[in-house]
Amino acid sequence: MLMEKFAKPAVGAIIEKKIDGEKFILVQERRKENGGKENGMLEIPAGKIREYENIFEALRREVKEETGLIITRIDGEESSTQSNVNGNQVISFQPYCVTQNLSGAYSLILNTFICEADGVLAESTDETQNIRWEKADLIRDILKANPESFFLMHVNALKKYFELL
């Protein structure tokens, strides 16, 4: 009998910051064990949601693990609803963008949110390096000219963010 395989739920953060009236976005370079050709690609903080983990807590955890930052605002969190249904806690939420990988190495469904965060950036982590605030205009220009330099799961959300779709 064939074993069914399922897409894994994940969460990602487009983290914004204004410095002297100019918008910056947090980016990092991918560095995973056995990451292959995707290592070195630009990405936003993201990761898988643990079983029964609240999606917003998962986002806070992943951002902290990958960047050292503490999320201070997640767009959409305030309008999420939680209910107790027959003894089960359920949550409904509206992410900024949902991306599903339909082929290739990762069968993921990524819920991307727009956020703000505070704290001191880590220099690198077990999964990332060169974590930095980059001018939003520069990220948009790189995305337009060379979308393949970004990790595939972040391209559509970033294109939506920069109105390039």
Side-chain angles (χ1 to χ4, degrees), residues 17-33:
K17 180 180 190 173
K18 280 224 164 132
I19 302 172
D20 299 327
E22 191 165 9
K23 188 183 283 186
F24 286 73
I25 303 292
L26 190 113
V27 292
Q28 57 198 28
E29 291 172 14
R30 195 171 175 83
R31 189 189 74 193
K32 306 273 190 203
E33 195 175 321

Side-chain angles (χ1 to χ4, degrees), residues 49-66:
I49 302 167
R50 295 175 178 156
E51 188 174 37
Y52 299 119
E53 185 176 31
N54 175 305
I55 192 165
F56 300 109
E57 295 311 311
L59 188 61
R60 287 182 175 89
R61 176 181 53 76
E62 285 292 342
V63 167
K64 176 77 172 152
E65 287 174 4
E66 293 191 6

